[in-house]
Amino acid sequence: MFCYQCEQTAGGHGCTKMGVCGKQPETSDLQDLLIYLSKAISMYAWRAAELGFRKEEIDRYVVEALFTTVTNVNFDSERIVNFIKKGYNILAEARALYEKAASDQGRQPHKIEVIDSWNPPQTYEEMLAESQGIGIAARLSQLGDDVTGLQELITYGLKGMAAYADHAAILGISDPEVYKFIHEALNFLTADEGRDADALTAMALKVGEVNLRVMEMLDEANTGTYGHPEPTVVRVTPKKGKAILVSGHDLKDLAILLEQTKDKGINIYTHGEMLPCLAYPELKKYPHLAGNYGGAWQDQKKEFDEFPGAILMTTNCIQKPAETYKARIFTTGLVAWPGVTHIADKDFTPVIEAALAEEGFTEDAPEKTITIGFGRNAVMSVAPTVIDAVKAGKIRHFFLVGGCDGAKSGRNYYTEFAQKVPDDCVILTLACGKYRFNKLEFGDIGGIPRLLDIGQCNDAYSAIKIAGALAEAFDCGVNDLPLSIILSWYEQKAVCILLTLLHLGIKNMKLGPTLPAFVSPAVLNVLVENFNIAPIKTADEDLAEILG
């Protein structure tokens, strides 16, 4: 195996024996094969789309395949093998679709030798053997660090985009042009131009451009289904009673569970990236949605072990379950772990039964709360007050401090940074990186909270819209605003958001805790020269540089 798609990759270079995330080498190799298969499918699907033909099943398969390989999603080799075998049928469908599209238009279909002559491996052993010649290590040897790194930058951006597109599709929002682009980009990576550094850089920014549309789709899906998030005081300590903890990112899974647990005497708690769900009107209307328990994903082993109920993982961020809670943790959707009960049909009866069988919380903990729900709708509604405060000199600067959290050392920087932000400045935050400081007290500026929790990584669209509205109000560009972006990254959704920010021309961002292993020095120089993107230093140094 060779994997360097996440921030915590071994030695800052790449995992070669076992994933730091817990991924077995065989699972990593199977995921490489799944990505290769997705590219093969897209080579036909893109050509068919160019001729006006598409098939929903083909589009959805590729999106799910990409999402399946995001860090901390699917660790179950058997499920991946079955998904690959399904993909062989999808590949045949994509080929037939393209040939029909060409025939209907009186054209001779382009022969794709590398795929037409490919004999897809059928057995587990054959799949593992096949993966050795198509993985990242093989391309590093053939193409070098720069080209391979740029190819992976695009691939990881597409993986993040696929995650957002999948969430939107589950709620009924999709765009054929987005699927067409995903096929186009995967096909591009197989072509000669996919070995040219300039062309690769341009395609990476195109990924960012299309991902902006995907984030808009997800925003439309979430707010159209569950209402716009609204400022909400949320309990972060447990209440007496039976309990289910929901982690991941899928709002619909939570909604289904809330409906299935009505009047059953079970309190539902959010965990990790599910925290923002407590601010959606159509979710928080359930009285048994009791609050948030715990923090970010990397603390789950301790927190899940101590949680006296059942646990449901809805998407990525699962870690290897300890034996102490393995029997009461469940997965659904694309997330999976070997030996953990997977619920494919959304009948969460096993989760409910497991919760009822556990002791639950025996007493109320002392009540503690935080305030969340400052999405774009909420912030825009008070925009005149915010703008007046800036013009009056009451608010000096805005800091967007957010992104992924993780277990690797160096992330205490974000806690220290937030604590040292001057009292006349406002902090915007989103994604699970906020758990580094979201339970601290920051006070307010003339009634405006100094800490505004915009939501999860899925809500990055809100942050972009807020920045755009402020720029319009002050009649300037976003880069001219008193706004600085301090990002923490861990996995591929953070990569595609970064590409979107670069597409928008956002400059002077600071990124940490370490730079991606797949970004070579030459590629980093391009980012520095064009966007002045820089690694974080110390909180004091970065604040001094920003505030002068």
Side-chain angles (χ1 to χ4, degrees):
M1 73 174 288
F2 183 91
C3 180
Y4 61 1
Q5 69 176 0
C6 85
E7 189 269 334
Q8 293 182 184
T9 193
H13 300 292
C15 296
T16 57
K17 296 181 179 178
M18 181 177 176
V20 171
C21 62
K23 186 165 54 182
Q24 296 294 324
E26 294 83 6
T27 308
S28 176
D29 291 343
L30 290 169
Q31 290 185 354
D32 286 344
L33 179 58
L34 181 55
I35 293 297
Y36 182 84
L37 174 59
S38 299
K39 292 176 181 176
I41 292 169
S42 287
M43 292 170 79
Y44 291 113
W46 174 66
R47 287 170 170 81
E50 285 282 270
L51 298 175
F53 283 66
R54 63 178 289 263
K55 194 171 184 178
E56 183 76 15
E57 184 183 8
I58 296 171
D59 296 341
R60 295 286 293 123
Y61 178 87
V62 171
V63 163
E64 290 181 359
L66 290 168
F67 192 2
T68 291
T69 65
V70 167
T71 301
N72 289 7
V73 176
N74 193 343
F75 293 81
D76 191 332
S77 292
E78 183 179 348
R79 289 180 62 83
I80 296 174
V81 166
N82 291 334
F83 199 63
I84 288 171
K85 290 181 177 179
K86 177 184 175 181
Y88 294 156
N89 293 328
I90 297 293
L91 176 61
E93 288 184 26
R95 178 184 294 166
L97 182 69
Y98 169 52
E99 290 174 349
K100 175 174 172 43
S103 175
D104 284 1
Q105 296 193 15
R107 302 186 182 192
Q108 184 69 27
H110 175 75
K111 190 170 181 60
I112 307 174
E113 288 287 349
V114 66
I115 301 302
D116 287 345
S117 61
W118 183 46
N119 292 315
Q122 299 298 321
T123 68
Y124 182 76
E125 291 73 22
E126 288 172 348
M127 289 180 183
L128 292 179
E130 181 84 3
S131 70
Q132 301 309 303
I134 59 177
I136 298 169
R139 282 186 288 116
L140 282 169
S141 176
Q142 296 165 5
L143 305 175
D145 293 346
D146 296 344
V147 168
T148 303
L150 282 167
Q151 288 180 342
E152 292 307 293
L153 175 63
I154 292 167
T155 301
Y156 303 154
L158 292 173
K159 289 185 180 189
M161 181 194 300
Y164 294 140
D166 187 61
H167 288 309
I170 286 170
L171 292 174
I173 302 296
S174 61
D175 184 343
E177 290 301 311
V178 167
Y179 293 129
K180 180 181 177 181
F181 172 74
I182 291 173
H183 295 313
E184 177 187 356
L186 289 173
N187 175 79
F188 166 85
L189 292 173
T190 70
D192 289 341
E193 59 183 340
R195 300 186 176 199
D196 178 79
D198 290 338
L200 285 162
T201 302
M203 179 58 77
L205 294 178
K206 182 70 174 177
V207 171
E209 178 184 356
V210 176
N211 185 59
L212 181 62
R213 166 61 184 144
V214 175
M215 290 195 296
E216 180 185 34
M217 289 162 47
L218 182 56
D219 179 85
E220 177 187 351
N222 288 341
T223 60
T225 306
Y226 303 111
H228 281 275
E230 52 194 27
T232 304
V233 176
V234 168
R235 183 179 177 121
V236 292
T237 51
K239 301 188 330 189
K240 181 179 179 179
K242 304 289 186 178
I244 296 175
L245 187 62
V246 185
S247 193
H249 302 76
D250 198 291
L251 275 63
K252 187 173 183 178
D253 284 337
L254 176 62
I256 293 170
L257 180 66
L258 286 167
E259 192 63 30
Q260 291 181 13
T261 51
K262 281 195 307 186
D263 305 319
K264 293 187 181 295
I266 301 174
N267 289 322
I268 309 298
Y269 297 88
T270 62
H271 177 270
E273 289 277 24
M274 296 298 282
L275 168 63
C277 295
L278 292 149
Y280 284 89
E282 291 302 310
L283 294 174
K284 71 175 187 176
K285 71 181 183 182
Y286 290 91
H288 62 301
L289 183 58
N292 189 74
Y293 176 91
W297 66 271
Q298 75 277 1
D299 297 324
Q300 68 183 250
K301 285 193 175 182
K302 179 178 184 295
E303 292 170 352
F304 288 5
D305 187 46
E306 295 174 350
F307 186 78
I311 302 149
L312 177 64
M313 299 298 301
T314 64
T315 55
N316 53 309
C317 296
I318 193 171
Q319 290 185 300
K320 181 179 180 179
E323 291 300 322
T324 50
Y325 63 84
K326 192 172 184 179
R328 53 187 175 87
I329 186 172
F330 301 82
T331 58
T332 191
L334 295 176
V335 64
W337 193 282
V340 169
T341 301
H342 187 80
I343 298 173
D345 60 3
K346 305 302 180 182
D347 179 354
F348 295 124
T349 300
V351 184
I352 295 168
E353 291 176 344
L356 292 173
E358 294 296 321
E359 183 179 31
F361 291 102
T362 57
E363 61 182 6
D364 289 348
E367 184 173 358
K368 295 181 181 179
T369 62
I370 59 174
T371 302
I372 66 170
F374 294 98
R376 62 184 175 88
N377 219 40
V379 174
M380 301 291 205
S381 68
V382 296
T385 304
V386 174
I387 292 164
D388 288 345
V390 174
K391 290 180 177 178
K394 295 177 181 178
I395 296 178
R396 177 170 36 146
H397 204 84
F398 295 90
F399 291 92
L400 175 58
V401 185
C404 305
D405 203 0
K408 194 174 178 181
S409 62
R411 292 183 183 268
N412 58 317
Y413 163 92
Y414 297 94
T415 308
E416 185 181 354
F417 188 96
Q419 289 175 314
K420 290 185 174 183
V421 166
D423 291 343
D424 59 353
C425 300
V426 172
I427 302 170
L428 308 171
T429 190
L430 75 165
C432 62
K434 64 173 167 267
Y435 280 109
R436 291 284 165 171
F437 49 81
N438 72 329
K439 294 175 184 176
L440 302 177
E441 190 59 51
F442 289 94
D444 64 86
I445 300 174
I448 301 168
R450 287 191 57 239
L451 179 66
L452 298 176
D453 185 343
I454 297 173
Q456 61 193 90
C457 65
N458 294 9
D459 297 308
Y461 184 73
S462 270
I464 291 170
K465 296 299 286 185
I466 290 168
L470 288 173
E472 184 177 345
F474 288 106
D475 193 25
C476 67
V478 172
N479 290 314
D480 300 315
L481 285 171
L483 168 68
S484 298
I485 300 177
I486 317 296
L487 298 177
S488 56
W489 83 282
Y490 171 66
E491 44 94 320
Q492 296 78 65
K493 283 183 281 186
V495 172
C496 72
I497 290 173
L498 176 62
L499 292 177
T500 294
L501 294 173
L502 296 179
H503 154 71
L504 291 170
I506 308 298
K507 297 185 177 182
N508 304 315
M509 291 181 287
K510 296 191 181 297
L511 179 65
T514 58
L515 293 176
F518 52 85
V519 174
S520 66
V523 174
L524 178 60
N525 285 339
V526 172
L527 296 178
V528 171
E529 289 173 8
N530 291 331
F531 302 100
N532 199 30
I533 192 169
I536 59 172
K537 298 176 184 175
T538 67
D540 288 326
E541 287 177 292
D542 288 339
L543 279 167
E545 178 185 327
I546 292 166
L547 296 174

